[in-house]
Amino acid sequence: MNLYDLFVKPYESYTYLQILLEVTGTVFGILSVYFSIKKNIWVYPTGIISTLIYVYILFNFGLLGDCLINVYYTTMSIYGWMLWSKNSEDNVHVEVTWATKKEWFFAIILFIISMLLVTVIYYYKPYIDNHFSLKGVNLGLYHLDWANWLDVLTTSIFLVGMWFMAKQRIENWIFWIIGDFICIPMLIYKELGITSVQYLVFTVMAILGYVSWKKSFKEKNTVKT
């Protein structure tokens, strides 16, 4: 399969509105990561716009499991926005730190719960895709392919990453780096080429974010000592 088949051909059947929405969601997603690197509270309003657009896109593509997860992302973004507002001295920027052992324990629990939750969503996906009707539907995980299982994994990774980011913990970038990188082939397989490029950009930006937040924390503690 060549690059045309991967990134162009799927869009031949899309409407201009679908393409415009995916491009807009991608742009606001990149802006969100940029503001996150800068420890700027605008990470959340731009991120909310992006996730809401993807809620609409995924719903129309019949990817209702993914759609429900993006609803969760939007909710977490609102939570993070409130938390950053509370902890920001200038109402724009925040200070960052490393996570405690207690927070890591909670993160592990959150990851396990997320894995179970997303698996349950996929278990009922035939019922959801059938407009919430059990008529002629067989529940189970038989319909999952490798991309769906990757989605279960990456969704759990991202949920932990979002929680760490809301808590202003440097480790959030580690989860974004891993999750973004895994998402690239998954999104190509789902024929969302523009979004797969977005996640390639996200991977690079997440690495820069990790370096930036780590440097910021080091400089702050050097000044104190």
Side-chain angles (χ1 to χ4, degrees):
M1 186 176 289
N2 55 41
L3 292 176
Y4 175 84
D5 291 333
L6 287 173
F7 295 102
V8 179
K9 191 174 181 179
Y11 291 93
E12 292 178 351
S13 60
Y14 293 1
T15 65
Y16 286 116
L17 177 61
Q18 288 174 320
I19 296 172
L20 178 62
L21 283 173
E22 189 176 350
V23 170
T24 303
T26 297
V27 170
F28 275 95
I30 292 173
L31 280 174
S32 178
V33 178
Y34 169 78
F35 285 124
S36 181
I37 293 173
K38 297 297 182 181
K39 299 177 295 178
N40 190 308
I41 202 168
W42 275 92
V43 55
Y44 288 111
T46 51
I48 288 170
I49 292 172
S50 178
T51 53
L52 284 176
I53 288 174
Y54 275 102
V55 166
Y56 177 81
I57 290 173
L58 293 167
F59 179 82
N60 282 280
F61 268 75
L63 300 171
L64 297 187
D66 296 345
C67 175
L68 291 173
I69 295 304
N70 271 271
V71 171
Y72 178 86
Y73 287 164
T74 304
T75 305
M76 275 297 294
S77 292
I78 295 171
Y79 167 74
W81 194 350
M82 294 171 60
L83 204 58
W84 278 38
S85 296
K86 181 180 178 181
N87 296 329
S88 175
E89 293 183 1
D90 62 0
N91 295 317
V92 176
H93 301 90
V94 293
E95 298 296 336
V96 298
T97 60
W98 293 99
T100 63
K101 289 183 179 179
K102 183 178 180 181
E103 288 171 335
W104 266 107
F105 176 77
F106 185 85
I108 292 171
I109 299 299
L110 178 61
F111 179 84
I112 294 172
I113 293 174
S114 299
M115 287 280 287
L116 293 173
L117 174 63
V118 181
T119 301
V120 169
I121 290 174
Y122 270 114
Y123 180 88
Y124 285 99
K125 191 173 185 295
Y127 164 72
I128 298 171
D129 290 344
N130 198 39
H131 304 288
F132 300 95
S133 172
L134 285 172
K135 187 176 181 179
V137 167
N138 293 317
L139 300 179
L141 301 174
Y142 61 90
H143 56 88
L144 269 65
D145 54 26
W146 64 271
N148 295 134
W149 284 113
L150 277 184
D151 188 45
V152 173
L153 175 63
T154 56
T155 298
S156 303
I157 291 172
F158 287 147
L159 294 186
V160 176
M162 289 196 72
W163 182 76
F164 270 136
M165 186 174 73
K167 301 289 287 185
Q168 299 131 237
R169 300 298 181 252
I170 300 170
E171 286 90 343
N172 87 88
W173 292 111
I174 297 173
F175 288 88
W176 292 119
I177 292 168
I178 295 171
D180 290 339
F181 185 76
I182 294 174
C183 271
I184 297 170
M186 180 185 72
L187 289 165
I188 292 174
Y189 179 78
K190 289 185 176 182
E191 298 186 341
L192 290 169
I194 294 175
T195 306
S196 71
V197 175
Q198 172 190 359
Y199 275 83
L200 175 60
V201 175
F202 279 174
T203 303
V204 176
M205 294 181 75
I207 294 171
L208 295 176
Y210 176 76
V211 173
S212 176
W213 280 33
K214 188 177 178 181
K215 181 181 178 182
S216 175
F217 176 78
K218 185 177 180 180
E219 288 175 348
K220 178 186 174 184
N221 282 269
T222 300
V223 172
K224 283 184 177 181
T225 55

